[in-house]
């Protein structure tokens, strides 16, 4: 029994290392894989409606929409309203005004934290995303966002639809 338990622990550790590597080095084609890897390494013991990950990424489900509505999935066009803040200072660096922000989920049109954090939302859902630098802009300065910043976004899903192949994508990351 002891050998079986040790073997299982070894396999789990190897699997976690593979998943962590996938999170550290996803490319635009494997964004959906990064979200799956993150989901598999959630830190246990978090509050209900809160998913915390070892890399500092957090998803707080603050409001649930229609439980039977469409799910935001990779390849779908998603329309959201959001407010983005720097975690350190609370300073708002970006937000939608009247018109929602549109992007295609899971194809690298937005930062990795958005692809992972918006996936699975339904119309009416609201989430707070806490995005560590490696899933945001990393060591690059992006406008008023300093390098290595932890970002917080309050995101509301407004509309979800299938993306048509001929449709053009929106501007890069929020």
């Amino acid at each position: 029994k002891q050998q079986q338990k040790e073997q299982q622990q070894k396999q789990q550790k190897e699997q976690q290392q593979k998943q962590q590597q996938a999170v550290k080095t996803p490319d635009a084609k494997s964004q959906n894989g990064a979200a799956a890897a993150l989901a598999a390494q959630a830190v246990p013991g978090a509050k209900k409606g809160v998913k915390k990950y070892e890399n500092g990424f957090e998803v707080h489900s603050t409001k649930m929409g229609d439980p039977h509505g469409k799910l935001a999935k990779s390849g779908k066009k998603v329309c959201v309203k959001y407010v983005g803040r720097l975690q350190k200072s609370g300073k708002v660096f970006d937000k939608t005004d009247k018109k929602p922000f549109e992007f295609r989920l899971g194809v690298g049109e937005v930062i990795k934290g958005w692809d992972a954090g918006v996936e699975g939302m339904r119309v009416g859902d609201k989430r707070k995303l806490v995005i560590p630098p490696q899933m945001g802009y990393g060591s690059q300065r992006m406008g008023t966002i300093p390098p290595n910043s932890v970002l917080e976004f309050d995101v509301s899903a407004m509309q979800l639809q299938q993306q048509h192949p001929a449709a053009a994508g929106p501007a890069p990351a929020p």
Side-chain angles (χ1 to χ4, degrees):
K1 274 189 172 182
Q2 183 64 24
Q3 283 180 330
Q4 284 179 330
K5 188 174 182 178
E6 288 174 5
Q7 179 113 8
Q8 285 176 336
Q9 288 174 340
K10 183 179 177 183
Q11 288 174 343
Q12 287 174 342
K13 188 175 182 178
E14 288 173 359
Q15 187 176 14
Q16 284 177 339
Q17 288 172 344
K18 286 179 186 177
Q19 290 168 345
Q20 288 171 347
Q21 186 62 31
V23 171
K24 290 177 186 173
T25 58
D27 57 53
K29 292 178 184 174
S30 67
Q31 288 292 319
N32 198 25
L38 278 173
Q41 67 179 44
V43 175
K47 294 179 188 175
K48 186 176 182 181
V50 177
K51 292 182 183 174
K52 294 184 177 190
Y53 301 88
E54 292 176 2
N55 66 355
F57 180 59
E58 297 179 17
V59 178
H60 301 251
S61 295
T62 57
K63 181 182 176 201
M64 301 303 284
D66 179 2
H68 304 292
K70 293 183 203 174
L71 275 176
K73 294 185 210 168
S74 185
K76 281 192 174 184
K77 187 165 69 170
V78 180
C79 301
V80 298
K81 287 193 174 182
Y82 69 90
V83 175
R85 286 183 278 298
L86 299 173
Q87 186 183 55
K88 190 173 185 179
S89 66
K91 179 182 175 192
V92 173
F93 60 83
D94 194 15
K95 66 180 180 175
T96 51
D97 289 315
K98 294 178 183 175
K99 186 178 177 186
F101 174 70
E102 294 183 16
F103 67 100
R104 206 166 61 147
L105 187 63
V107 297
E109 290 183 355
V110 292
I111 58 176
K112 294 172 190 153
W114 268 51
D115 272 337
V118 172
E119 187 170 354
M121 288 183 80
R122 298 178 192 271
V123 172
D125 283 2
K126 292 185 179 186
R127 291 183 179 173
K128 176 183 175 182
L129 307 177
V130 178
I131 302 175
Q134 68 271 27
M135 294 183 74
Y137 297 107
S139 60
Q140 299 176 14
R141 171 175 287 282
M142 186 61 70
T144 60
I145 302 171
N148 299 311
S149 292
V150 176
L151 310 175
E152 290 185 355
F153 287 93
D154 292 319
V155 181
S156 301
M158 307 303 291
Q159 187 177 1
L160 308 171
Q161 54 192 345
Q162 254 340 101
Q163 177 72 18
H164 299 291

